[in-house]
Amino acid sequence: MLKVGFIGLGIMGKPMAKNLFKAGYEVYAYDINNDAIKEIEAAGGIGCASIEEVAGACDQIITMLPNSPHVKQVVIEQGGIIDYAKEGTLVIDMSSIAPNVSKEIQAELAKKSIRIIDAPVSGGEPKAIDGTLAIMVGGEQEDFDQAKPLFDILGSSAVLVGPIGSGNTCKLANQVIVALNIAAVSEAMMLAKKSGTDPKKVFEAIRGGLAGSTVMDAKTPMMLEGNFKPGFKVDLHIKDLNNALETGYITGSPLLLTAEVMQILQMLHADGEGQSDHSAIAKFYEKLTGTSLS
Ligand code: NAD
């Protein structure tokens, strides 16, 4: 039977791991949260007590962790995959992290003849459950080809964007566009409301035109109902925009609008909205105007 390791069994990792064993893989799963391991065992996976156990059993290992420091710790720091994996092992990092960190990890692993591709995803928990994630990949063609059968189970598309780090650069571009789009929709809907025009009617009238977008379709109804249940959390978007701004600094790319939306998200965090859906950007405008959109 085909084996795959899976480290990081959170909101995204758990359903992804489940889809892999539903598709016939033997999944060796590890997380620092023991309850998550137990849940995977109960559903048919193989719970592991350590990274060493995963790396000992598998020569392809998926990681789905929060951010750059967690991936560095699990993959290249002492006691990480680097210490236990066999030569030729392929690490498939599906976390959303900083592209320069993906490159740094690749350089360390190469010293031990361990391979890595970065393969962050878009789509959130519903698409992780359905196995319809959009997967953006950075790395070598032959490593992408090896991982493709796994991507076919986890996602509806997988595109090799370029060399290592490109998957995460692509994900940052995605996150910049989404954040700015939510802010634009929030600002425009508040303009309508303050002008005495029904935002619901504005949404209906413009969603089929040039201003329409997937973001507008998904997030406007939430704003107009005052429903900010995540979805994708404000705190996770702060993490991604922080990585975007850091990457902009390293590469000399101007991110003026991103920096402004980052300030909005950080104010929301300070206001206790870190665990709300990122459509809560609308709440920032509600506070500024003392006017509710719902
Ligand atoms: P999460 O916080 O729910 O899960 C992360 C898991 O990693 C947790 O179970 C945690 O215990 C585990 N973990 C942390 N440090 C660890 C370590 N050292 N060793 C082993 N396990 C460790 O996060 P998530 O929502 O599943 O997101 C994972 C990644 O996917 C993030 O990079 C996120 O930005 C990205 N992402 C999330 C969504 C979403 O909608 N949630 C959508 C697209 C991409």
Side-chain angles (χ1 to χ4, degrees):
M1 198 187 240
L2 287 165
K3 290 180 187 175
V4 63
F6 207 114
I7 302 177
L9 307 166
I11 293 176
M12 298 295 284
K14 233 183 272 174
M16 291 165 71
K18 286 180 185 171
N19 282 338
L20 291 170
F21 55 70
K22 270 187 227 151
Y25 278 82
E26 239 174 27
V27 181
Y28 289 73
Y30 172 70
D31 194 291
I32 45 173
N33 173 5
N34 208 30
D35 289 343
I37 300 179
K38 282 193 196 133
E39 191 181 325
I40 290 295
E41 274 178 335
I46 298 161
C48 295
S50 63
I51 295 172
E52 181 176 7
E53 224 176 292
V54 175
C58 307
D59 54 17
Q60 41 188 10
I61 304 170
I62 296 176
T63 46
M64 193 52 169
L65 298 158
N67 198 8
S68 310
H70 310 86
V71 178
K72 278 177 86 167
Q73 190 190 350
V74 165
V75 181
I76 57 168
E77 286 176 9
Q78 201 182 358
I81 290 173
I82 196 163
D83 285 342
Y84 305 114
K86 298 175 272 293
E87 266 190 27
T89 293
L90 177 63
V91 178
I92 303 161
D93 179 34
M94 302 192 77
S95 329
S96 302
I97 70 168
N100 63 313
V101 174
S102 297
K103 289 181 198 162
E104 190 186 327
I105 292 173
Q106 190 271 338
E108 282 306 307
L109 289 179
K111 294 177 190 166
K112 296 274 188 85
S113 300
I114 300 167
R115 299 168 295 143
I116 184 167
I117 52 179
D118 58 313
V121 305
S122 172
E125 190 185 18
K127 288 186 182 248
I129 293 170
D130 292 350
T132 55
L133 293 164
I135 306 171
M136 309 152 232
V137 188
E140 299 296 323
Q141 181 72 52
E142 64 181 290
D143 299 338
F144 174 81
D145 292 343
Q146 182 183 326
K148 187 71 173 45
L150 297 166
F151 294 153
D152 288 342
I153 296 163
L154 299 172
S156 54
S157 72
V159 176
L160 179 60
V161 181
I164 186 76
S166 308
N168 274 308
T169 302
C170 187
K171 173 71 183 180
L172 292 182
N174 184 82
Q175 294 305 80
V176 164
I177 292 165
V178 170
L180 269 53
N181 207 337
I182 295 175
V185 171
S186 304
E187 199 163 291
M189 291 302 161
M190 186 53 78
L191 173 69
K193 180 86 183 202
K194 291 293 284 179
S195 310
T197 306
D198 184 356
K200 278 196 187 74
K201 292 287 174 196
V202 172
F203 174 49
E204 256 175 57
I206 68 175
R207 58 187 290 243
L210 189 57
S213 65
T214 311
V215 165
M216 183 186 279
D217 282 345
K219 302 299 176 183
T220 313
M222 294 178 74
M223 293 172 189
L224 301 186
E225 285 160 20
N227 162 25
F228 300 108
K229 190 170 161 270
F232 192 81
K233 291 174 188 164
V234 164
D235 281 349
L236 269 186
H237 220 135
I238 290 175
K239 182 260 298 184
D240 288 337
L241 293 194
N242 188 47
N243 284 337
L245 291 168
E246 186 189 315
T247 305
Y249 173 70
I250 293 168
T251 59
S253 317
L255 290 167
L256 292 80
L257 304 177
T258 305
E260 245 174 310
V261 178
M262 176 65 149
Q263 295 298 312
I264 297 175
L265 288 168
Q266 282 180 305
M267 284 181 219
L268 285 166
H269 172 88
D271 205 24
E273 299 288 348
Q275 298 301 303
S276 299
D277 188 72
H278 51 176
S279 56
I281 287 175
K283 276 197 166 183
F284 173 79
Y285 286 89
E286 291 183 332
K287 280 230 157 178
L288 284 183
T289 57
T291 306
S292 169
L293 281 174
S294 54

